[in-house]
Amino acid sequence: YYLATETSTKVDPKGSNAIALLYDWKRHHPKRYEEVLRLLSQLKLASHVDAEASLEEILRLDVRPYQHKELVNLADVGFGISQILPMLIADVALPEAGTLIVNQPEVHLHPSSQALLADYMAARLGARQYIVETHSEYLINRLRLLVKSEVVKPEDLDILYFDVGRTGRHKQYSLSIDLEG
């Protein structure tokens, strides 16, 4: 359950007003609401999300997990959906050519959904830029496959790897993906 607050046009860095924004979209901007549903389905996390007001002060979020028939409260499904939902809402709220900065979007997601995050971002490149801090080899490996299959151009990716060497000094390496992935 979430408090129904005045909605903003964007999600704050902690995602705290994402559900209120989703509820507002359901009532006033159905195309944006449907876009969030489509993206959740694309990531194979949920086939439906229903934001409803209870007593006009509290928002309830029910979810139909991917390939399930029942609608359940968000608290009764995997933690990954609640963590990725604010990112999706923030992305849909971005203006054209916007940039979304995300810290470890893969946390609490199944490895297959982590890989699908790369597909998701690749499909939206051009209209968006993504700066992603990740530890997910599934996401990186999917990017490699997308380059090999010519879905993503190598020059559209910048991968930076940070390491603390034996000296304790931070080192940055720029990694490239060639046409073979």
Side-chain angles (χ1 to χ4, degrees):
Y1 297 92
Y2 302 87
L3 288 177
T5 60
E6 284 190 39
T7 58
S8 169
T9 57
K10 58 185 178 178
V11 177
D12 76 355
K14 293 182 181 180
S16 62
N17 61 333
I19 304 308
L21 184 57
L22 184 66
Y23 177 69
D24 181 67
W25 288 350
K26 180 182 176 188
R27 293 175 35 216
H28 304 292
H29 304 282
K31 286 185 180 180
R32 286 184 170 209
Y33 182 77
E34 292 296 324
E35 177 71 359
V36 172
L37 298 181
R38 187 186 69 73
L39 295 172
L40 278 169
S41 183
Q42 179 184 334
L43 291 170
K44 297 184 179 181
L45 294 172
S47 56
H48 188 72
V49 173
D50 191 20
E52 288 294 329
S54 173
L55 304 173
E56 297 188 26
E57 295 176 6
I58 298 174
L59 298 176
R60 176 188 170 107
L61 194 67
D62 290 326
V63 176
R64 180 176 298 120
Y66 191 74
Q67 295 185 331
H68 286 80
K69 294 179 181 179
E70 68 282 347
L71 213 63
V72 295
N73 188 276
L74 182 64
D76 297 325
V77 297
F79 201 57
I81 295 173
S82 68
Q83 297 301 294
I84 204 72
L85 191 56
M87 183 197 99
L88 298 178
I89 294 167
D91 194 19
V92 171
L94 276 178
E96 280 296 313
T99 300
L100 186 65
I101 301 172
V102 186
N103 183 20
Q104 297 184 29
E106 76 276 3
V107 174
H108 304 293
L109 290 180
H110 187 275
S112 63
S113 291
Q114 291 179 35
L116 288 172
L117 275 174
D119 294 342
Y120 160 82
M121 291 178 194
R124 297 172 72 84
L125 279 178
R128 302 276 187 270
Q129 285 190 74
Y130 296 97
I131 299 173
V132 180
E133 188 273 325
T134 185
H135 294 247
S136 174
E137 65 185 89
Y138 302 103
L139 193 147
I140 298 296
N141 283 332
R142 180 59 65 93
L143 287 172
R144 293 175 58 217
L145 289 171
L146 291 171
V147 168
K148 181 165 177 50
S149 62
E150 299 179 2
V151 173
V152 175
K153 297 175 190 169
E155 59 268 19
D156 289 340
L157 297 175
D158 283 325
I159 300 176
L160 301 176
Y161 176 77
F162 297 91
D163 188 25
V164 178
R166 294 180 197 209
T167 63
R169 299 185 71 207
H170 294 287
K171 291 187 177 184
Q172 172 186 317
Y173 303 92
S174 182
L175 306 178
S176 60
I177 299 175
D178 64 21
L179 293 173
E180 293 299 312

